[in-house]
Amino acid sequence: MPKSREHGQGALYWVESRKMWRAVVDVGFDPESGARLQKARMSKTKDAAVKKLNLMLRERDSMGLVLDRSTRVSDLAQAWLDDVTGRTKPKTLTGYRSNLKASILPVLGHRIAADLTPADVRRMHATVRKRGAGDSTVASAHRTLVSLLEHARAERLIAENVAALTPPRRTRPGKARSSLTREEARTLLGAGDPRWTLALLTGLRSGEARALRWEDIELDRGIASVAWSLTDATFTHGCDGECGRNRAGNCPQRRINLAADLDWVPLEDRHVLVRPKNTQPREIPLTESAIKQLRAHRDADLGPNPHGLIWHRANGSPKTNTDDNTDLRTALARAGVDRPGATTHWFRHSYVTLSEHAGIPWSASAGVSGHGSPEASDPYRHVLTAEGRKAVETLAAWVDSH
């Protein structure tokens, strides 16, 4: 018989058939049947059972529920992936799977999710670093763990997201993105290439620019609609595993593997259009110069273009991010700008930096670039040395004159 305890304080008794102590607490009533709901845990010793009982009581009284202490991180990971697969973009989902397989599950997979501690998170960081990975890899794995545990917290499987409380430490200075100087931007604008004119004046992401189709541009109104981003999807077997190929991409009946709830447009092979990063389409204004350049670009494009893309390969297929970066470096070299390590993402930094130095309010510039908050723009701000020198000299002259 259960040991007599005060009402609401649970029960503790010996289970002869299992030779173990059983701790039980009431956690409410079934809303449909009205039956009493209980949580129970077993222990080999009475002292251990008392500790489990007290823990369940603390959880019930402080959070209104008793945490699930049977779900391991590996089980949680699968449930989380099943949940996010229906709405996550291909590259994001691929990153989640890679981080789980390589960094999270080998270290934490066997742990009970509700029992994770900051020490466990730091242990994962250390293990990833031991295999020679850098700060960016650790940070990527950490972000995945944060998302995983946030799902568990929302499902009330854990009390708090310990990963969110334990950010990884940097072991070396971060590799900062760069920004074009004002003079370099002026030189590139002078080249008259609409791809780089739009990038500099609007902060277009590479995927957004490569996704632009002529149907998205209204040259007479001077408006471009940024409603899509070009990305590469993954494939899944369409043969129920009967083709014998290890890689789904080699399956004769392969299918694009995309979330069921994701809004997307197929182009060719694995190239697809998905909604931009913040999922919200936006309109960007075009300058008279950009409109003129786009008209000239359209008139000169005499090759195949089955998808109606503004920028595409010679055979009409979509351009990749690598293509875009190569084109940029070629354009910079041709314009006499010595930036061999430049990438198209620099334009996000250049746009925010130059806009701020030009005195453009954030509310106006963000409407073009698609940044959702001033905090989102912060990492893209840089100090332009020439403009900074002018600021210092102006301040010195102002102080000296009073």
Side-chain angles (χ1 to χ4, degrees), residues 387-397:
E387 280 64 27
R389 183 179 298 279
K390 290 179 183 177
V392 172
E393 291 173 350
T394 299
L395 178 60

Side-chain angles (χ1 to χ4, degrees), residues 152-164:
R153 192 182 67 81
E155 293 293 321
R156 309 198 78 181
L157 297 174
I158 62 176
E160 62 182 354
N161 189 336
V162 294

Side-chain angles (χ1 to χ4, degrees), residues 102-388:
S103 303
I104 298 174
L105 295 184
V107 183
L108 304 177
H110 67 286
R111 295 277 286 141
I112 299 297
D115 291 339
L116 287 178
T117 66
D120 290 317
V121 179
R122 289 192 291 269
R123 183 161 56 88
M124 185 202 76
H125 296 164
T127 302
V128 175
R129 286 198 172 95
K130 281 182 181 178
R131 65 173 201 252
D135 287 339
S136 61
T137 302
V138 175
S140 177
H142 182 83
R143 287 193 296 271
T144 298
L145 182 61
V146 169
S147 297
L148 170 66
L149 296 185
E150 192 58 28
H151 166 79
R153 192 182 67 81
E155 293 293 321
R156 309 198 78 181
L157 297 174
I158 62 176
E160 62 182 354
N161 189 336
V162 294
L165 305 175
T166 319
R169 299 174 182 173
R170 283 195 169 274
T171 59
R172 57 182 67 89
K175 183 180 179 181
R177 300 276 188 177
S178 192
S179 169
L180 295 180
T181 67
R182 184 178 180 182
E183 182 60 37
E184 289 170 339
R186 182 186 300 116
T187 300
L188 190 56
L189 280 177
D193 188 325
R195 171 68 184 91
W196 315 125
T197 297
L198 260 65
L200 277 167
L201 299 183
T202 68
L204 271 179
R205 299 177 178 94
S206 173
E208 294 172 342
R210 290 182 287 116
L212 279 176
R213 296 167 293 179
W214 287 112
E215 66 186 70
D216 301 320
I217 302 286
E218 295 184 55
L219 294 176
D220 292 337
R221 289 184 58 216
I223 293 292
S225 177
V226 182
W228 300 99
S229 180
L230 181 61
T231 191
D232 294 340
T234 57
F235 290 112
T236 184
H237 281 277
C239 63
D240 295 326
E242 295 179 359
C243 71
R245 309 289 177 85
N246 290 329
R247 295 181 67 251
N250 294 332
C251 174
Q253 302 177 53
R254 69 185 186 184
R255 297 196 306 264
I256 288 285
N257 185 24
L258 284 172
D261 295 337
L262 198 65
D263 194 7
W264 62 284
V265 175
L267 293 184
E268 64 178 67
D269 195 39
R270 63 175 69 244
H271 302 298
V272 298
L273 301 181
V274 297
R275 291 302 181 185
K277 190 172 183 179
N278 58 8
T279 73
Q280 295 298 320
R282 65 186 189 279
E283 289 189 341
I284 57 175
L286 303 174
T287 63
E288 288 297 328
S289 177
I291 293 172
K292 183 178 179 180
Q293 292 170 22
L294 283 166
R295 291 187 191 277
H297 177 73
R298 183 185 58 187
D299 294 342
D301 186 8
L302 302 178
N305 189 9
H307 311 297
L309 295 168
I310 296 179
W311 292 285
H312 55 83
R313 288 178 170 177
N315 64 0
S317 63
K319 283 196 171 187
T320 65
N321 187 61
T322 299
D323 294 334
D324 218 20
N325 285 328
T326 300
D327 291 345
L328 169 61
R329 290 161 190 163
T330 300
L332 287 172
R334 190 175 294 149
V337 177
D338 185 20
R339 289 295 194 106
T343 70
T344 53
H345 198 64
W346 283 24
F347 287 115
R348 298 286 284 173
H349 295 255
S350 299
Y351 174 79
V352 171
T353 300
L354 294 170
S355 294
E356 185 164 292
H357 281 279
I360 299 171
W362 175 86
S363 58
S365 64
V368 176
S369 66
H371 279 142
S373 68
E375 291 75 21
S377 298
D378 285 343
Y380 295 87
R381 293 187 173 94
H382 298 261
V383 174
L384 296 182
T385 303
E387 280 64 27

Side-chain angles (χ1 to χ4, degrees), residues 9-22:
Q9 293 303 303
L12 184 70
Y13 58 94
W14 174 255
V15 180
E16 182 63 28
S17 61
R18 298 187 60 181
K19 304 297 183 183
M20 297 182 75
W21 286 89
R22 189 171 192 261

